[in-house]
Amino acid sequence: MEKEKYILISIISSDEQEIIASLDELARLIDTAGGMECGRIMQRLPHPDPKYYLGSGKIEELRLEIEMKDADGVVCDDELSPVQMYTLTKELGVKVIDRTIVILDIFAAHASTKEGKIQVELAQLKYRASHVSGLGKMLSRQGGGIGTRGPGETKLESDRRMIRHRMGQLSRQIREMESVRQTGRKKRIRNLATVIAIVGYTNAGKSTLLNALTGAGVLAEDKLFATLDPTTRALDLPEGMQVLLTDTVGFIHKLPHQLIEAFHSTLEEAQYADIILHVIDASDTDWELHRKVVYDTLSELGITGKPVITAFNKTDLATEEILRDTAASKQVTISAKNKYGLDELITAISDTIKDMQTLIKMLIPYQETAFVGRVRQMGQVIKEEYLEEGIRLEAYVPPSIAKEYGTWHRNFS
Ligand SMILES: Nc1nc2c(ncn2[C@@H]2O[C@H](COP(=O)(O)OP(=O)(O)OP(=O)(O)O)[C@@H](O)[C@H]2O)c(=O)[nH]1
Ligand SMILES: [Mg+2]
């Protein structure tokens, strides 16, 4: 099948270099979705035109470009309003889509689990719902007459009803799956392992790193959004301590809010983590911009105040001399693919856990020896004395045990 050809369009309202980088990324997204770029049109404008997105003069140029390149469609780097989409389609006579539609399309193609598929469908419906209602308003504002008669408005009304009904169904299913996951999470908390979430820009090498560290065998590809579903694997640290590593969906510049909402429970995995492992593709010339997108998305998800270890990855390809992430508590340079720098990364993880440990001093009744076992397994025992009233224990323990100790202490003291 021949690839669909698209003209990329964007207004330049800020730094031109950033817009060009964003369009380069849009071209990669189109490529991942199975199409190709055949040209681009940019226009310096402070705000998008409410009706045409580009200025009306530029539309003529766009029309010529479509004809010349024999393009199948136009893709806008910003999310188009229903009105813009409607007028552009009418004016140009080709398919008009936007960045959000492309990303949703990729997610739909890559979703493999039941939960992933439901989350994507919900995100797509949210997008459609907002655009259907916009279209309805636009038609009713015209106050009847040619173009508004016939099945139009009733069709929109029934579409809206169907979409709402299906969205309700999907949200319920997501909530049910979320409660199953919560149970899993509680079990893990009971196991008291330190949880590390691998986060980063899409294609940074997160899955490759999880595979290199744990032999997880998850899919890693030179593709945007290869991973949609979280995978958790255990990693044994040299001191005998075990941590859990979770690989999850990548972030991107202008990640559609519908996806953030629908994938909230998946993205939440990072909220329950003790440590954030931030993977940066150091061979990407835009890594600094991507770094910012990752931190912005994390704070949008309410994930702040956790220790961050930054792993500058793909250093086998990187040419830049200075790699620094000032927001990280520790940083290392690695190549996940060539398994370079992994020992330093593991040391950074161990050190971070040690930094997070607290000293507990307690007298444990003999009927609570299971707790002593957990302290021995997860922490470092400094002093252990067997007295008549119980076991006197002094130990450095990770946050999870300290938390348990806190509640336990209240119960028993
Ligand atoms: N040269 C080089 N390539 C790497 C390295 N690490 C990962 N890659 C490649 O980068 C591409 C993306 O890797 P993934 O591990 O799928 O990236 P990801 O961050 O999981 O991406 P998404 O799940 O799509 O967000 C793959 O083609 C990897 O082989 C590295 O250290 N050096
Ligand atoms: Mg991945």
Side-chain angles (χ1 to χ4, degrees):
M1 204 178 72
E2 209 163 289
K3 284 188 172 178
E4 279 187 316
K5 290 184 289 184
Y6 286 91
I7 312 257
L8 277 43
I9 62 169
S10 179
I11 60 160
I12 306 170
S13 55
S14 57
D15 179 47
E16 187 164 353
Q17 263 346 90
E18 274 182 36
I19 304 291
I20 291 172
S22 185
L23 283 178
D24 290 345
E25 185 172 82
L26 181 62
R28 281 209 66 194
L29 287 165
I30 285 283
D31 177 68
T32 305
M36 64 180 280
E37 173 184 358
C38 67
R40 50 176 80 171
I41 289 201
M42 293 184 280
Q43 183 181 22
R44 194 167 282 286
L45 277 181
H47 304 288
D49 181 87
K51 205 166 160 200
Y52 292 100
Y53 178 74
L54 295 173
S56 52
K58 263 292 187 222
I59 297 298
E60 205 40 52
E61 193 182 321
L62 179 57
R63 203 201 313 273
L64 284 174
E65 184 82 1
I66 291 169
E67 220 169 279
M68 222 162 59
K69 302 276 174 66
D70 192 25
D72 298 289
V74 169
V75 52
C76 179
D77 199 37
D78 291 307
E79 191 167 315
L80 290 169
S81 73
V83 173
Q84 289 164 336
M85 201 163 265
Y86 176 79
T87 40
L88 280 175
T89 314
K90 214 172 91 198
E91 278 297 313
L92 302 169
V94 291
K95 199 150 116 183
V96 176
I97 56 175
D98 60 22
R99 180 184 255 261
T100 302
I101 293 182
V102 180
I103 294 176
L104 288 172
D105 195 77
I106 295 171
F107 269 65
H110 292 182
S112 58
T113 62
K114 189 164 173 241
E115 182 169 20
K117 285 185 179 147
I118 291 176
Q119 287 169 322
V120 175
E121 191 184 342
L122 183 62
Q124 281 178 319
L125 286 177
K126 280 191 171 151
Y127 181 92
R128 264 192 35 212
S130 63
H131 283 67
V132 164
S133 66
L135 206 55
K137 266 193 224 103
M138 187 171 69
L139 292 179
S140 59
R141 230 183 286 126
Q142 290 171 349
I146 297 170
T148 57
R149 275 191 293 255
E153 190 65 357
T154 23
K155 171 84 174 37
L156 287 174
E157 196 38 61
S158 72
D159 275 3
R160 247 201 303 269
R161 251 202 317 274
M162 250 166 54
I163 289 175
R164 259 202 309 270
H165 177 67
R166 182 81 184 129
M167 275 168 58
Q169 273 181 336
L170 295 174
S171 304
R172 257 195 314 280
Q173 290 183 29
I174 289 178
R175 271 200 301 277
E176 279 161 23
M177 287 188 234
E178 162 69 354
S179 76
V180 172
R181 211 213 311 265
Q182 287 280 11
T183 323
R185 213 179 267 141
K186 277 202 201 105
K187 262 199 214 120
R188 240 184 281 149
I189 291 171
R190 238 180 284 132
N191 287 338
L192 303 171
T194 304
V195 178
I196 302 176
I198 306 178
V199 304
Y201 211 74
T202 182
N203 211 47
K206 301 176 292 297
S207 301
T208 309
L209 180 59
L210 181 75
N211 289 341
L213 289 172
T214 69
V218 299
L219 177 75
E221 280 189 291
D222 194 14
K223 224 161 82 168
L224 303 179
F225 302 114
T227 308
L228 293 190
D229 306 299
T231 302
T232 302
R233 289 288 181 276
L235 169 69
D236 291 312
L237 298 179
E239 290 93 349
M241 218 188 285
Q242 198 182 59
V243 295
L244 294 176
L245 281 177
T246 298
D247 171 31
T248 182
V249 60
F251 300 151
I252 198 167
H253 165 62
K254 300 182 186 170
L255 186 66
H257 65 93
Q258 298 91 340
L259 276 175
I260 295 192
E261 284 162 24
F263 275 77
H264 209 269
S265 57
T266 300
L267 293 166
E268 255 179 2
E269 287 289 303
Q271 260 168 20
Y272 294 91
D274 303 294
I275 299 170
I276 301 292
L277 175 50
H278 178 189
V279 181
I280 295 181
D281 177 352
S283 73
D284 195 315
T285 46
D286 292 319
W287 71 262
E288 292 199 80
L289 279 176
H290 296 173
R291 184 189 76 104
K292 188 173 178 308
V293 170
V294 169
Y295 284 119
D296 288 350
T297 313
L298 284 176
S299 70
E300 197 177 327
L301 291 164
I303 302 164
T304 50
K306 293 182 198 286
V308 176
I309 302 172
T310 291
F312 283 101
N313 188 32
K314 307 197 191 180
T315 44
D316 53 310
L317 302 176
T319 48
E320 235 176 293
E321 306 262 307
I322 302 162
L323 297 167
R324 188 162 300 145
D325 181 6
T326 47
S329 7
K330 290 191 171 54
Q331 67 170 64
V332 289
T333 49
I334 62 163
S335 166
K337 198 173 163 189
N338 303 321
K339 304 201 172 180
Y340 158 84
L342 299 187
D343 289 344
E344 284 84 348
L345 173 57
I346 287 174
T347 307
I349 293 174
S350 301
D351 289 349
T352 306
I353 293 174
K354 280 185 204 138
D355 291 348
M356 293 161 74
Q357 288 186 334
T358 46
L359 181 66
I360 57 170
K361 293 180 185 180
M362 57 196 297
L363 184 69
I364 303 163
Y366 281 107
Q367 60 268 34
E368 288 301 321
T369 41
F371 181 72
V372 182
R374 284 202 290 281
V375 172
R376 266 197 223 111
Q377 194 190 345
M378 307 299 302
Q380 287 161 291
V381 176
I382 311 287
K383 206 188 266 173
E384 192 173 339
E385 275 177 283
Y386 288 78
L387 308 174
E388 208 170 302
E389 324 82 274
I391 305 164
R392 215 183 152 70
L393 199 67
E394 266 185 54
Y396 281 100
V397 294
S400 49
I401 300 250
K403 236 181 279 161
E404 193 195 16
Y405 163 65
T407 44
W408 186 89
H409 197 61
R410 270 196 293 282
N411 289 342
F412 289 91
S413 58

